Amino acid sequence: MPFRFLPKQKLALATILYWVLLLYIIAALLFWYIRLQEQSNQMANYRLMELVADDPQYLKKVEQINEESIRKTHQYRGEGATFLFIILVGAVFVFRAVRRQFKVAQQQQNFMMAITHELKTPIAVAKLNLETLQKHKLDEAKKEKLLRMTLQETNRLNTLTNNILISSQLEGGGYKLVKEDLDLSALISRLVMDFKQRFPDRNWILEIPDSIYLKADPLLIQILINNLLDNAVKYSPRSAAVQVKLALGTTNIEMSIADQGPGIPDEEKGKIFKRFYRIGNESVRTTQGTGLGLYLCKKITTDHRGSIRVSDNHPVGANFIVQLPNN
């Protein structure tokens, strides 16, 4: 079986080769500068040796040769410094571009691993549940449970495909926002009710005043709220409560969704909204997800001239706060 480099090994190997090549180029530039300087000095000495000592113009010619030699030295130094500067600037850009490409490739590989699992799992569960209903005569309670589980998995599959499609359209500029007067209070209440039906054992703490309206794209705002609710449910223990708040300010509408999960480290708070980014190692991850949900939340809030941030929920967990203009 042929040996295959892991992504980190490829990056380390590329970095080593890059620095070896860069040092070689700098060494070659220095070598040619020294050679040209030696050649210039030899030519100046040769011309000085050809001068006749009793020539009335002897001192003037010596001065001219020395001045020309000094000019050559300054010329070589200037050209060398210019080439070195161009090489170093180009090297920095190339190094950053190569590292970025390796990171993007790793993120895409992680995304493919995650999306494969995310697609197969709900399909397999739904298929198994339907086959069980088809082959066995079950009482109403068990039928209801299997149907509810199947609906949960199809909703999860629907959310996943929506995230992928909308992410692609937003990234490529193919999606045009259609802003309408939206009853945000009613929308959040309805989506939370859907989650209550899907996860009846969950505890919810709601602070949602009536009749808070927002001018926004209904589909995108629904995806935003769904992703944040799904995130809170996904990372919270089953016995822990998910808190949803909505408040109307002077210029902004603020929505916060807090969980009581493990929380997000401070060094990761600025990275989680990047596309495909997920905390931890994809090959040993147990939590579901593709790395698109929070990216979409950031993109949607930005496109609506709003903002999203994450803070610590006390005593444990994470609190996602969305602010959207109310005009």
Side-chain angles (χ1 to χ4, degrees):
M1 180 178 178
F3 178 75
R4 292 184 179 180
F5 288 103
L6 297 174
K8 288 186 178 180
Q9 293 175 325
K10 290 181 181 179
L11 180 58
L13 180 61
T15 302
I16 293 172
L17 292 176
Y18 170 84
W19 284 111
V20 169
L21 180 61
L22 180 60
L23 291 174
Y24 172 78
I25 293 173
I26 294 175
L29 182 64
L30 182 62
F31 170 78
W32 283 109
Y33 165 75
I34 295 172
R35 292 293 297 165
L36 286 172
Q37 188 63 47
E38 290 177 349
Q39 186 179 20
S40 177
N41 292 336
Q42 289 175 358
M43 291 296 295
N45 292 333
Y46 178 74
R47 290 175 63 187
L48 288 172
M49 291 174 59
E50 286 185 331
L51 294 178
V52 179
D54 57 358
D55 187 346
Q57 301 292 323
Y58 177 78
L59 293 178
K60 185 177 181 180
K61 291 180 178 179
V62 169
E63 184 178 355
Q64 289 176 345
I65 293 172
N66 288 333
E67 288 179 354
E68 185 176 350
S69 177
I70 293 172
R71 282 199 302 273
K72 287 286 187 182
T73 299
H74 290 322
Q75 177 185 345
Y76 295 149
R77 288 178 180 176
E79 291 176 350
T82 302
F83 284 131
L84 181 61
F85 175 76
I86 293 173
I87 289 171
L88 291 178
V89 170
V92 169
F93 278 104
V94 171
F95 182 71
R96 293 177 65 181
V98 170
R99 287 185 66 88
R100 191 181 303 115
Q101 286 299 318
F102 271 103
K103 288 182 179 180
V104 169
Q106 180 63 41
Q107 288 176 339
Q108 290 176 341
Q109 182 180 0
N110 290 344
F111 174 74
M112 292 306 298
M113 291 172 61
I115 201 66
T116 300
H117 175 74
E118 289 290 298
L119 287 172
K120 287 177 66 177
T121 303
I123 293 173
V125 172
K127 181 182 177 182
L128 179 61
N129 290 343
L130 292 174
E131 287 177 346
T132 303
L133 289 171
Q134 185 182 47
K135 294 179 181 178
H136 303 280
K137 293 182 179 181
L138 304 175
D139 57 50
E140 289 300 321
K142 291 183 178 179
K143 284 183 180 180
E144 181 66 26
K145 182 179 179 181
L146 287 177
L147 288 173
R148 186 175 69 247
M149 291 172 60
T150 304
L151 184 60
Q152 288 179 11
E153 295 302 325
T154 53
N155 284 335
R156 176 179 157 195
L157 190 59
N158 182 59
T159 300
L160 178 62
T161 52
N162 276 340
N163 282 349
I164 297 171
L165 291 173
I166 295 297
S167 172
S168 177
Q169 291 175 350
L170 289 176
E171 188 72 16
Y175 187 92
K176 293 185 179 180
L177 271 70
V178 180
K179 292 191 175 182
E180 303 175 0
D181 287 330
L182 178 66
D183 188 341
L184 189 58
S185 301
L187 177 61
I188 295 176
S189 298
R190 178 171 60 82
L191 294 177
V192 170
M193 184 60 63
D194 290 341
F195 272 84
K196 284 183 176 180
Q197 292 175 355
R198 291 165 56 190
F199 305 98
D201 298 333
R202 291 283 177 173
N203 184 22
W204 297 83
I205 301 175
L206 307 179
E207 297 181 24
I208 307 174
D210 294 332
S211 303
I212 293 182
Y213 284 85
L214 173 70
K215 197 171 186 64
D217 187 298
L219 175 60
L220 294 186
I221 297 300
Q222 179 174 329
I223 291 174
L224 165 67
I225 299 169
N226 261 332
N227 282 334
L228 292 178
L229 291 174
D230 185 65
N231 225 44
V233 170
K234 187 188 303 178
Y235 289 100
S236 288
R238 290 188 177 182
S239 58
V242 176
Q243 188 174 45
V244 182
K245 292 182 180 181
L246 183 65
L248 177 62
T250 306
T251 58
N252 289 320
I253 295 173
E254 183 173 291
M255 175 182 64
S256 67
I257 298 177
D259 62 62
Q260 296 182 27
I264 300 172
D266 290 339
E267 62 272 14
E268 301 284 352
K269 284 185 171 70
K271 302 176 184 178
I272 57 174
F273 296 106
K274 294 180 180 179
R275 195 180 191 192
F276 302 138
Y277 186 83
R278 298 190 71 202
I279 300 173
N281 188 344
E282 195 68 45
S283 60
V284 296
R285 193 187 311 281
T286 57
T287 309
Q288 302 165 350
T290 60
L292 283 179
L294 291 179
Y295 162 78
L296 269 177
C297 292
K298 177 72 172 179
K299 179 68 175 170
I300 291 170
T301 53
T302 301
D303 287 349
H304 282 81
R305 299 181 295 111
S307 65
I308 182 172
R309 70 182 189 274
V310 59
S311 62
D312 294 330
N313 186 32
H314 298 289
V316 291
N319 184 20
F320 287 87
I321 302 168
V322 177
Q323 289 185 328
L324 296 169
N326 59 4
N327 51 25

